[in-house]
mmCIF file of all heavy atoms in Angstrom:
data_model
loop_
_atom_site.group_PDB
_atom_site.id
_atom_site.type_symbol
_atom_site.label_atom_id
_atom_site.label_comp_id
_atom_site.label_asym_id
_atom_site.label_seq_id
_atom_site.Cartn_x
_atom_site.Cartn_y
_atom_site.Cartn_z
ATOM 1 N N ALA D 1 0.809 -1.194 0.020
ATOM 2 C CA ALA D 1 -0.024 -0.011 -0.016
ATOM 3 C C ALA D 1 0.839 1.267 0.003
ATOM 4 O O ALA D 1 0.418 2.292 -0.569
ATOM 5 C CB ALA D 1 -0.907 -0.034 1.230
ATOM 6 N N THR D 2 2.037 1.192 0.664
ATOM 7 C CA THR D 2 2.923 2.359 0.658
ATOM 8 C C THR D 2 3.372 2.843 -0.713
ATOM 9 O O THR D 2 3.179 4.019 -1.019
ATOM 10 C CB THR D 2 4.154 2.044 1.589
ATOM 11 O OG1 THR D 2 3.703 1.690 2.846
ATOM 12 C CG2 THR D 2 5.025 3.268 1.675
ATOM 13 N N PRO D 3 3.988 2.045 -1.573
ATOM 14 C CA PRO D 3 4.327 2.514 -2.879
ATOM 15 C C PRO D 3 3.194 2.928 -3.713
ATOM 16 O O PRO D 3 3.223 3.804 -4.523
ATOM 17 C CB PRO D 3 5.126 1.362 -3.464
ATOM 18 C CG PRO D 3 4.721 0.153 -2.698
ATOM 19 C CD PRO D 3 4.464 0.672 -1.332
ATOM 20 N N VAL D 4 2.013 2.245 -3.543
ATOM 21 C CA VAL D 4 0.825 2.539 -4.319
ATOM 22 C C VAL D 4 0.320 3.958 -3.968
ATOM 23 O O VAL D 4 -0.054 4.698 -4.864
ATOM 24 C CB VAL D 4 -0.277 1.520 -4.111
ATOM 25 C CG1 VAL D 4 -1.624 1.996 -4.731
ATOM 26 C CG2 VAL D 4 0.110 0.189 -4.703
ATOM 27 N N ARG D 5 0.316 4.281 -2.660
ATOM 28 C CA ARG D 5 -0.146 5.586 -2.261
ATOM 29 C C ARG D 5 0.773 6.643 -2.798
ATOM 30 O O ARG D 5 0.320 7.721 -3.313
ATOM 31 C CB ARG D 5 -0.262 5.690 -0.707
ATOM 32 C CG ARG D 5 -1.314 4.887 -0.097
ATOM 33 C CD ARG D 5 -1.588 5.315 1.360
ATOM 34 N NE ARG D 5 -2.407 4.321 2.050
ATOM 35 C CZ ARG D 5 -1.890 3.417 2.845
ATOM 36 N NH1 ARG D 5 -0.614 3.294 3.044
ATOM 37 N NH2 ARG D 5 -2.725 2.537 3.510
ATOM 38 N N ALA D 6 2.061 6.436 -2.637
ATOM 39 C CA ALA D 6 3.031 7.428 -3.158
ATOM 40 C C ALA D 6 2.889 7.598 -4.670
ATOM 41 O O ALA D 6 2.953 8.698 -5.158
ATOM 42 C CB ALA D 6 4.440 6.975 -2.786
ATOM 43 N N ALA D 7 2.721 6.482 -5.397
ATOM 44 C CA ALA D 7 2.608 6.571 -6.830
ATOM 45 C C ALA D 7 1.326 7.296 -7.214
ATOM 46 O O ALA D 7 1.324 8.030 -8.215
ATOM 47 C CB ALA D 7 2.515 5.142 -7.432
ATOM 48 N N ALA D 8 0.259 7.076 -6.476
ATOM 49 C CA ALA D 8 -1.022 7.731 -6.850
ATOM 50 C C ALA D 8 -0.840 9.240 -6.688
ATOM 51 O O ALA D 8 -1.394 10.042 -7.516
ATOM 52 C CB ALA D 8 -2.126 7.282 -5.904
ATOM 53 N N LEU D 9 -0.182 9.704 -5.685
ATOM 54 C CA LEU D 9 0.015 11.168 -5.449
ATOM 55 C C LEU D 9 0.923 11.742 -6.594
ATOM 56 O O LEU D 9 0.605 12.807 -7.153
ATOM 57 C CB LEU D 9 0.759 11.400 -4.114
ATOM 58 C CG LEU D 9 1.035 12.822 -3.744
ATOM 59 C CD1 LEU D 9 -0.213 13.693 -3.678
ATOM 60 C CD2 LEU D 9 1.829 12.902 -2.425
ATOM 61 N N LEU D 10 1.983 11.067 -6.921
ATOM 62 C CA LEU D 10 2.866 11.540 -7.998
ATOM 63 C C LEU D 10 2.190 11.519 -9.324
ATOM 64 O O LEU D 10 2.355 12.424 -10.137
ATOM 65 C CB LEU D 10 4.142 10.638 -8.047
ATOM 66 C CG LEU D 10 5.161 10.920 -6.974
ATOM 67 C CD1 LEU D 10 6.241 9.832 -7.032
ATOM 68 C CD2 LEU D 10 5.778 12.305 -7.151
ATOM 69 N N LEU D 11 1.347 10.487 -9.562
ATOM 70 C CA LEU D 11 0.622 10.440 -10.800
ATOM 71 C C LEU D 11 -0.365 11.566 -10.951
ATOM 72 O O LEU D 11 -0.552 12.108 -12.043
ATOM 73 C CB LEU D 11 -0.120 9.103 -10.941
ATOM 74 C CG LEU D 11 -0.699 8.714 -12.299
ATOM 75 C CD1 LEU D 11 0.445 8.732 -13.377
ATOM 76 C CD2 LEU D 11 -1.410 7.390 -12.260
ATOM 77 N N ALA D 12 -1.004 11.953 -9.855
ATOM 78 C CA ALA D 12 -1.933 13.096 -9.915
ATOM 79 C C ALA D 12 -1.206 14.354 -10.262
ATOM 80 O O ALA D 12 -1.735 15.209 -11.066
ATOM 81 C CB ALA D 12 -2.591 13.228 -8.554
ATOM 82 N N VAL D 13 0.001 14.487 -9.762
ATOM 83 C CA VAL D 13 0.834 15.706 -10.121
ATOM 84 C C VAL D 13 1.215 15.667 -11.593
ATOM 85 O O VAL D 13 1.134 16.645 -12.315
ATOM 86 C CB VAL D 13 2.087 15.724 -9.277
ATOM 87 C CG1 VAL D 13 3.009 16.869 -9.702
ATOM 88 C CG2 VAL D 13 1.688 16.002 -7.798
ATOM 89 N N ALA D 14 1.646 14.493 -12.106
ATOM 90 C CA ALA D 14 2.095 14.361 -13.467
ATOM 91 C C ALA D 14 0.922 14.581 -14.406
ATOM 92 O O ALA D 14 1.149 15.124 -15.523
ATOM 93 C CB ALA D 14 2.666 12.911 -13.648
ATOM 94 N N ALA D 15 -0.282 14.199 -14.040
ATOM 95 C CA ALA D 15 -1.382 14.332 -14.962
ATOM 96 C C ALA D 15 -1.983 15.739 -15.021
ATOM 97 O O ALA D 15 -2.801 16.094 -15.894
ATOM 98 C CB ALA D 15 -2.510 13.357 -14.540
ATOM 99 N N ALA D 16 -1.599 16.569 -14.030
ATOM 100 C CA ALA D 16 -2.140 17.956 -14.006
ATOM 101 C C ALA D 16 -1.663 18.705 -15.198
ATOM 102 O O ALA D 16 -0.498 18.796 -15.488
ATOM 103 C CB ALA D 16 -1.605 18.674 -12.709
ATOM 104 N N PRO D 17 -2.608 19.268 -16.001
ATOM 105 C CA PRO D 17 -2.192 19.888 -17.271
ATOM 106 C C PRO D 17 -1.468 21.204 -17.045
ATOM 107 O O PRO D 17 -1.737 21.979 -16.102
ATOM 108 C CB PRO D 17 -3.549 20.221 -17.903
ATOM 109 C CG PRO D 17 -4.540 20.299 -16.749
ATOM 110 C CD PRO D 17 -4.030 19.259 -15.768
ATOM 111 N N GLY D 18 -0.423 21.427 -17.830
ATOM 112 C CA GLY D 18 0.323 22.673 -17.840
ATOM 113 C C GLY D 18 1.177 22.893 -16.638
ATOM 114 O O GLY D 18 1.654 24.067 -16.460
ATOM 115 N N CYS D 19 1.409 21.927 -15.792
ATOM 116 C CA CYS D 19 2.150 22.153 -14.539
ATOM 117 C C CYS D 19 3.653 21.940 -14.794
ATOM 118 O O CYS D 19 4.502 22.441 -13.935
ATOM 119 C CB CYS D 19 1.716 21.238 -13.440
ATOM 120 S SG CYS D 19 2.122 19.501 -13.606
ATOM 121 N N SER D 20 4.110 21.331 -15.828
ATOM 122 C CA SER D 20 5.431 20.843 -15.947
ATOM 123 C C SER D 20 6.490 21.964 -15.885
ATOM 124 O O SER D 20 7.285 22.030 -14.951
ATOM 125 C CB SER D 20 5.612 20.071 -17.274
ATOM 126 O OG SER D 20 6.927 19.753 -17.436
ATOM 127 N N HIS D 21 6.356 22.967 -16.737
ATOM 128 C CA HIS D 21 7.436 23.995 -16.841
ATOM 129 C C HIS D 21 7.364 24.940 -15.639
ATOM 130 O O HIS D 21 8.328 25.324 -15.080
ATOM 131 C CB HIS D 21 7.279 24.722 -18.126
ATOM 132 C CG HIS D 21 7.446 23.855 -19.346
ATOM 133 N ND1 HIS D 21 8.698 23.296 -19.655
ATOM 134 C CD2 HIS D 21 6.604 23.483 -20.294
ATOM 135 C CE1 HIS D 21 8.554 22.623 -20.763
ATOM 136 N NE2 HIS D 21 7.291 22.690 -21.158
ATOM 137 N N ALA D 22 6.112 25.319 -15.263
ATOM 138 C CA ALA D 22 5.982 26.286 -14.180
ATOM 139 C C ALA D 22 6.516 25.739 -12.848
ATOM 140 O O ALA D 22 7.269 26.440 -12.169
ATOM 141 C CB ALA D 22 4.512 26.669 -13.940
ATOM 142 N N VAL D 23 6.148 24.481 -12.567
ATOM 143 C CA VAL D 23 6.637 23.881 -11.200
ATOM 144 C C VAL D 23 8.153 23.647 -11.308
ATOM 145 O O VAL D 23 8.835 23.955 -10.395
ATOM 146 C CB VAL D 23 5.861 22.525 -10.997
ATOM 147 C CG1 VAL D 23 6.474 21.871 -9.721
ATOM 148 C CG2 VAL D 23 4.428 22.837 -10.817
ATOM 149 N N ARG D 24 8.622 23.211 -12.463
ATOM 150 C CA ARG D 24 10.044 22.895 -12.530
ATOM 151 C C ARG D 24 10.931 24.148 -12.345
ATOM 152 O O ARG D 24 11.954 24.052 -11.688
ATOM 153 C CB ARG D 24 10.352 22.235 -13.869
ATOM 154 C CG ARG D 24 11.818 21.785 -14.053
ATOM 155 C CD ARG D 24 12.112 21.284 -15.388
ATOM 156 N NE ARG D 24 12.048 22.277 -16.398
ATOM 157 C CZ ARG D 24 12.108 22.086 -17.730
ATOM 158 N NH1 ARG D 24 12.171 20.851 -18.111
ATOM 159 N NH2 ARG D 24 12.100 23.042 -18.583
ATOM 160 N N LYS D 25 10.459 25.231 -12.866
ATOM 161 C CA LYS D 25 11.302 26.428 -12.888
ATOM 162 C C LYS D 25 11.175 27.245 -11.589
ATOM 163 O O LYS D 25 12.007 28.013 -11.263
ATOM 164 C CB LYS D 25 10.945 27.311 -14.009
ATOM 165 C CG LYS D 25 11.356 26.747 -15.385
ATOM 166 C CD LYS D 25 11.018 27.628 -16.550
ATOM 167 C CE LYS D 25 11.487 27.048 -17.895
ATOM 168 N NZ LYS D 25 11.111 27.962 -19.041
ATOM 169 N N THR D 26 10.059 27.115 -10.879
ATOM 170 C CA THR D 26 9.809 27.960 -9.677
ATOM 171 C C THR D 26 9.992 27.204 -8.436
ATOM 172 O O THR D 26 10.864 27.548 -7.594
ATOM 173 C CB THR D 26 8.431 28.577 -9.751
ATOM 174 O OG1 THR D 26 7.461 27.546 -9.836
ATOM 175 C CG2 THR D 26 8.298 29.486 -10.961
ATOM 176 N N HIS D 27 9.212 26.185 -8.176
ATOM 177 C CA HIS D 27 9.176 25.487 -6.890
ATOM 178 C C HIS D 27 10.205 24.368 -6.731
ATOM 179 O O HIS D 27 10.821 24.194 -5.737
ATOM 180 C CB HIS D 27 7.736 24.957 -6.594
ATOM 181 C CG HIS D 27 6.697 26.011 -6.598
ATOM 182 N ND1 HIS D 27 6.717 27.026 -5.638
ATOM 183 C CD2 HIS D 27 5.631 26.238 -7.402
ATOM 184 C CE1 HIS D 27 5.677 27.865 -5.907
ATOM 185 N NE2 HIS D 27 5.014 27.368 -6.987
ATOM 186 N N ASP D 28 10.278 23.530 -7.769
ATOM 187 C CA ASP D 28 11.041 22.277 -7.668
ATOM 188 C C ASP D 28 12.513 22.447 -7.914
ATOM 189 O O ASP D 28 13.332 21.662 -7.422
ATOM 190 C CB ASP D 28 10.492 21.192 -8.608
ATOM 191 C CG ASP D 28 9.189 20.624 -8.012
ATOM 192 O OD1 ASP D 28 8.798 21.006 -6.930
ATOM 193 O OD2 ASP D 28 8.587 19.806 -8.718
ATOM 194 N N GLU D 29 12.889 23.459 -8.689
ATOM 195 C CA GLU D 29 14.303 23.484 -9.123
ATOM 196 C C GLU D 29 15.267 23.628 -7.994
ATOM 197 O O GLU D 29 16.355 22.906 -8.007
ATOM 198 C CB GLU D 29 14.521 24.591 -10.152
ATOM 199 C CG GLU D 29 15.934 24.586 -10.713
ATOM 200 C CD GLU D 29 16.016 25.343 -12.049
ATOM 201 O OE1 GLU D 29 15.070 25.380 -12.790
ATOM 202 O OE2 GLU D 29 17.099 25.969 -12.229
ATOM 203 N N PRO D 30 15.101 24.418 -6.990
ATOM 204 C CA PRO D 30 16.068 24.483 -5.872
ATOM 205 C C PRO D 30 16.194 23.065 -5.155
ATOM 206 O O PRO D 30 17.367 22.736 -4.877
ATOM 207 C CB PRO D 30 15.458 25.504 -4.889
ATOM 208 C CG PRO D 30 14.666 26.357 -5.743
ATOM 209 C CD PRO D 30 14.043 25.443 -6.795
ATOM 210 N N VAL D 31 15.132 22.429 -4.968
ATOM 211 C CA VAL D 31 15.163 21.056 -4.353
ATOM 212 C C VAL D 31 15.930 20.129 -5.317
ATOM 213 O O VAL D 31 16.775 19.340 -4.864
ATOM 214 C CB VAL D 31 13.754 20.556 -4.031
ATOM 215 C CG1 VAL D 31 13.873 19.082 -3.515
ATOM 216 C CG2 VAL D 31 13.077 21.453 -3.035
ATOM 217 N N ASN D 32 15.538 20.144 -6.595
ATOM 218 C CA ASN D 32 16.223 19.281 -7.564
ATOM 219 C C ASN D 32 17.707 19.535 -7.590
ATOM 220 O O ASN D 32 18.506 18.587 -7.710
ATOM 221 C CB ASN D 32 15.563 19.463 -8.948
ATOM 222 C CG ASN D 32 14.211 18.861 -9.104
ATOM 223 O OD1 ASN D 32 13.856 17.933 -8.292
ATOM 224 N ND2 ASN D 32 13.397 19.327 -9.964
#
């Protein structure tokens, strides 16, 4: 259940339209 829950959350983020470039450049890049 642990990997399934984590995967479901990530998949919801991946499926969100138009989020790729904005999130990558603003929120995620320092962490990455």
Side-chain angles (χ1 to χ4, degrees):
T2 301
V4 170
R5 290 194 194 101
L9 178 60
L10 284 169
L11 192 58
V13 173
C19 69
S20 175
H21 298 292
V23 175
R24 183 183 70 187
K25 291 182 179 179
T26 57
H27 301 297
D28 284 356
E29 186 160 325
V31 175
N32 286 336

